[in-house]
């Protein structure tokens, strides 16, 4: 697509997402971490691309999302933005860049916006990080919340099981969702919570609720790209639908290449100068 043609594409914005909720149109969201895959998924008409800190797991091979740094997130996000024409790009604030104090949170968010060209940031937590959320919003940076299973708190939870099954935690989650909406967040991700609770939050709030393992009665869905494509292995939560088995496809192609090189079949006469 030429630059001229691409300028005609109507970008997805926070305003578009609000209208989608209002009109009952579901929002599609996937993660991406690099230019090439971002370009492919944007061409499908996906609404939102999240540069998730799950890059720590699927790109860097870490066991949790905690080790990824702000510089690494900025590297991934600026690569993704170059591949995107239409989708809204949101970038995760990595662990340790917003919990300390709200000034630090603001300067991390400003770096993300300045150095990547993304349209918004995502941040995990409710009441405990509300000051940071407000300060970032006051600089005109759109903020997406993230409640339920918040992977940056995995050592506090001690397990990746479904969250907010007990009344106390469910009430806190509902309260946090209202708090984030009142602060001015444009949307919230709800991860791994009972479908009934997610439906309640979705009905109670005017801003879009995007679910991952939160059932069908939310305003949109998000999955980790490498999980839904079947690149990752040994990760099969109930909510994950695998649309492909790319692990085997890639393995098969690479095996064929290795075999061809070994048996002198590659390159052939037409593949040389
Ligand atoms: O980092 C990530 O990929 C996420 C999604 C699971 C929502 O936060």
């Amino acid at each position: 697509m030429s630059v001229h043609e691409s300028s005609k594409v109507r970008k997805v914005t926070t305003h578009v997402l609000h209208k989608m909720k209002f009109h009952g149109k579901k929002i599609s969201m996937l993660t991406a971490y690099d230019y090439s895959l971002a370009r492919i998924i944007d061409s499908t008409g996906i609404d939102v691309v999240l540069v998730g800190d799950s890059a720590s797991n699927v790109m860097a091979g870490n066991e949790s999302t905690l080790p990824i740094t702000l510089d690494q997130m900025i590297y991934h996000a600026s690569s993704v933005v170059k591949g995107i024409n239409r989708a809204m790009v949101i970038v995760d604030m990595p662990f340790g860049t917003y919990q300390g104090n709200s000034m630090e949170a603001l300067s991390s968010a400003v770096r993300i916006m300045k150095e990547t060209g993304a349209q918004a940031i995502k941040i995990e937590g409710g009441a405990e990080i509300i000051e940071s959320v407000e300060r970032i919003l006051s600089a005109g940076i759109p903020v997406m919340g993230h409640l339920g299973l918040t992977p940056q708190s995995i050592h506090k939870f001690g397990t990746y099981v479904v969250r907010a099954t007990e009344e106390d935690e469910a009430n806190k989650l509902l309260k946090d969702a209202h708090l984030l909406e009142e602060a001015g967040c444009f949307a919230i991700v709800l991860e791994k919570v009972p479908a009934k609770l997610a439906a309640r939050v979705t009905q109670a709030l005017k801003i879009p609720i995007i679910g991952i393992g939160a059932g069908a009665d939310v305003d949109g869905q998000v999955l980790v790209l490498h999980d839904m494509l079947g690149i990752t292995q040994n990760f099969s939560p109930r909510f994950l639908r695998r649309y492909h088995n790319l692990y085997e496809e890639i393995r098969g192609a690479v095996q064929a290449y290795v075999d061809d090189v070994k048996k002198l079949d590659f390159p052939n006469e037409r593949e040389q100068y």
Side-chain angles (χ1 to χ4, degrees), residues 29 31 33 50 52-55 65 92 122 124 146 189 191 212 222 224:
M29 172 164 155
T31 63
Y33 318 101
L50 171 69
D53 59 357
S54 48
T65 57
D92 257 334
K122 178 165 82 59
E124 292 185 9
H146 184 156
V189 164
E191 180 164 353
I212 171 163
V222 56
V224 169

Side-chain angles (χ1 to χ4, degrees), residues 29 31 33 50 52-54 57 64-65 92 98 122-125 144-154 157 159-165 169-170 173 177 180 187-195 197-199 201-202 208-215 218 220-224 227 235 237-240:
M29 172 164 155
T31 63
Y33 318 101
L50 171 69
D53 59 357
S54 48
N57 308 94
S64 77
T65 57
D92 257 334
Y98 60 92
K122 178 165 82 59
I123 186 165
E124 292 185 9
M144 171 180 259
H146 184 156
L147 297 171
L149 178 67
T150 44
Q152 291 177 15
S153 303
I154 188 58
F157 298 145
T159 163
Y160 283 100
V161 296
V162 61
R163 302 306 313 172
T165 51
E169 198 179 331
L173 189 148
L180 292 172
I188 298 174
V189 164
L190 275 190
E191 180 164 353
K192 222 169 174 188
V193 298
L197 174 63
V201 176
T202 305
I209 305 299
I210 313 294
I212 171 163
V218 287
Q221 299 291 334
V222 56
L223 284 176
V224 169
D227 294 338
F235 179 66
R238 190 196 299 186
F239 67 76
L240 175 61

Side-chain angles (χ1 to χ4, degrees), residues 31-35 37 51-62 68 72-73 75-76 80 224-226 231-232:
T31 63
Y33 318 101
D34 66 27
Y35 165 79
L37 288 180
V51 184
D53 59 357
S54 48
S56 179
N57 308 94
V58 300
M59 301 303 287
N62 294 314
I68 200 159
Q72 287 165 341
M73 287 302 294
Y75 166 75
H76 286 296
V80 165
V224 169
L225 184 65
H226 290 58
I231 297 175
T232 47

